[in-house]
Amino acid sequence: MSTASVPQACQVSDPTLKPIIDNDQQLVVSYNKSEFSALKDISFSPPSNIITMEEIGYRKDTGVSPVAVSEPFPLFSPGTVARMREEVLSEDVWNSCRYSSDLAACQLRGFAPQHAKFVYDAWHNQETLAIVSKIAGIELVPVMDFEIAHVNISVKSAEQTVEELANYTENAARQTDVGIDGCQPEKGKPVVDWHNDSYPFVCVLMLSDCSTMIGGETALKTASGEILKVRGPEKGCAVILQGRYIEHQALPAIGATERITMVTSFRPRSATLRDDTVLTTVRPISDLSELYHQFSEYRLEIVEDRVRKQLKELRKRKGAYKKFDTRGLKTFLDEQERFLAHTNSEIIEEDKVMVGQLKAEAILPRIGANGHERVKSI
């Protein structure tokens, strides 16, 4: 079993199938030197529907919010998407930030802000965060800079696309009273296989033209094991998903030469709320030094904030001549012990990390099939 200290970028079998930056060049040029601006870059309309955890069979307190997933909604303007594509599909990103795994063939990670300042600013923008938080039903922040943003890429040649459409049309003609679902374009290899995310929430932004695409939905497993398909977003549109607690996959699509999605991960802003973050689905496809540094930093900052609040409360009780709260402090300390133990368990020695082998690391080490925790996280 091979191991490595730092996962290296993947080697694709056909490097000519790199996505082409075929955006409207006038849009790209006009955005080249401009900074992200909510006024011109955000083009938001609320989602038509937001599905709750209870609606798919889970308890509403299974995760950190009652919200499970949103319908697709417009988020960024065409020019903004063009600029994002230009940054994430640059030679620097493609050559130094590309990974593959047993869940997905091609992914770009860890490129912001060094190689993608515009993308970085877009996801840190206060209006962007307000939109994401309102839909998620909880105030969120990016989990850490390394996860701004993860890009999943599926690319086909024009010949493959034409052949797939021809096969699809032929199969459809053989069936009666059956719609698109009956033709099963999703029987091909998924863009990303079944998994739970490492982080509480994700915002999935579509960077590809989906006007000719058939399929490409996100499939969710309900608490009963049934499959619910959520319509995929169009270019510039996004979906919010509480993916840490819901097993899901990105279904394959036909009719388009590419499917590129940008996935940005979020966690609760408040240090007092629980944080069930794990590194299972990201450890084998990351620069471990950077991932571990940022993960440790934000987790220790949470502990720091909690300790400061607890110390303030302790001094307040003392100043009010109240009796020392032995049970309360011991409960607090027990919670922090579990929090730190969880943090420690996620930082695995570099030589024990299996590059690209996400399934081998057991995707659901702490979340049971019913969505309840096997090991309590704080």
Side-chain angles (χ1 to χ4, degrees), residues 200-256:
F201 269 96
V202 292
C203 180
V204 183
L205 173 69
M206 179 59 70
L207 298 183
S208 295
D209 180 7
C210 304
S211 58
T212 61
M213 188 181 295
I214 300 172
E217 302 96 337
T218 297
L220 313 178
K221 283 188 180 179
T222 67
S224 64
E226 297 179 356
I227 306 300
L228 171 68
K229 289 197 287 187
V230 178
R231 178 171 55 90
E234 299 177 357
K235 192 173 186 178
C237 297
V239 167
I240 303 293
L241 170 67
Q242 194 167 191
R244 177 72 191 100
Y245 310 94
I246 306 170
E247 194 172 0
H248 57 282
Q249 72 170 189
L251 296 174
I254 63 174

Side-chain angles (χ1 to χ4, degrees), residues 18-65:
K18 174 186 175 182
I20 298 174
I21 304 177
D22 56 356
N23 306 288
D24 185 324
Q25 289 303 307
Q26 290 184 343
L27 282 174
V28 175
V29 170
S30 68
Y31 275 68
N32 268 345
K33 295 184 179 180
S34 63
E35 296 182 351
F36 182 88
S37 165
L39 184 62
K40 69 178 178 63
D41 291 312
I42 292 178
S43 182
F44 171 67
S45 293
S48 60
N49 186 34
I50 297 176
I51 300 171
T52 67
M53 297 293 282
E54 289 182 304
E55 286 178 303
I56 58 174
Y58 293 96
R59 286 170 36 183
K60 66 179 180 181
D61 60 350
T62 295
V64 296
S65 166

Side-chain angles (χ1 to χ4, degrees), residues 177-320:
D177 300 323
V178 178
I180 289 177
D181 287 347
C183 300
Q184 296 296 321
E186 64 269 22
K187 285 185 177 179
K189 185 177 181 180
V191 178
V192 182
D193 211 343
W194 287 108
H195 67 289
N196 282 61
D197 295 332
S198 284
Y199 310 113
F201 269 96
V202 292
C203 180
V204 183
L205 173 69
M206 179 59 70
L207 298 183
S208 295
D209 180 7
C210 304
S211 58
T212 61
M213 188 181 295
I214 300 172
E217 302 96 337
T218 297
L220 313 178
K221 283 188 180 179
T222 67
S224 64
E226 297 179 356
I227 306 300
L228 171 68
K229 289 197 287 187
V230 178
R231 178 171 55 90
E234 299 177 357
K235 192 173 186 178
C237 297
V239 167
I240 303 293
L241 170 67
Q242 194 167 191
R244 177 72 191 100
Y245 310 94
I246 306 170
E247 194 172 0
H248 57 282
Q249 72 170 189
L251 296 174
I254 63 174
T257 56
E258 66 165 41
R259 184 182 189 273
I260 305 176
T261 56
M262 176 178 288
V263 183
T264 303
S265 299
F266 294 88
R267 58 180 171 87
R269 177 185 290 275
S270 173
T272 62
L273 297 178
R274 85 190 221 217
D275 178 19
D276 293 327
T277 289
V278 296
L279 301 181
T280 313
T281 63
V282 298
R283 204 166 26 228
I285 51 170
S286 298
D287 177 337
L288 290 180
S289 178
E290 192 63 33
L291 179 71
Y292 285 172
H293 175 87
Q294 294 189 21
F295 174 70
S296 302
E297 184 176 29
Y298 100 73
R299 297 280 291 188
L300 291 175
E301 285 176 349
I302 287 177
V303 175
E304 181 182 34
D305 188 67
R306 291 175 176 179
V307 169
R308 289 185 184 279
K309 286 183 171 63
Q310 184 64 31
L311 183 59
K312 182 178 180 180
E313 178 62 24
L314 188 149
R315 288 170 173 163
K316 182 180 178 181
R317 289 182 65 87
K318 175 69 172 177

Side-chain angles (χ1 to χ4, degrees), residues 18-34 78-95 108 111 114-119 151 153 207-208 235 258 260 262:
K18 174 186 175 182
I20 298 174
I21 304 177
D22 56 356
N23 306 288
D24 185 324
Q25 289 303 307
Q26 290 184 343
L27 282 174
V28 175
V29 170
S30 68
Y31 275 68
N32 268 345
K33 295 184 179 180
S34 63
T80 306
V81 173
R83 177 70 183 277
M84 288 178 166
R85 284 178 59 99
E86 183 189 35
E87 284 194 336
V88 303
L89 298 179
S90 69
E91 289 298 324
D92 286 342
V93 172
W94 190 256
N95 292 331
L108 305 175
F111 46 77
Q114 182 179 0
H115 301 299
K117 182 64 164 57
F118 185 85
V119 169
V151 177
I153 297 178
L207 298 183
S208 295
K235 192 173 186 178
E258 66 165 41
I260 305 176
M262 176 178 288

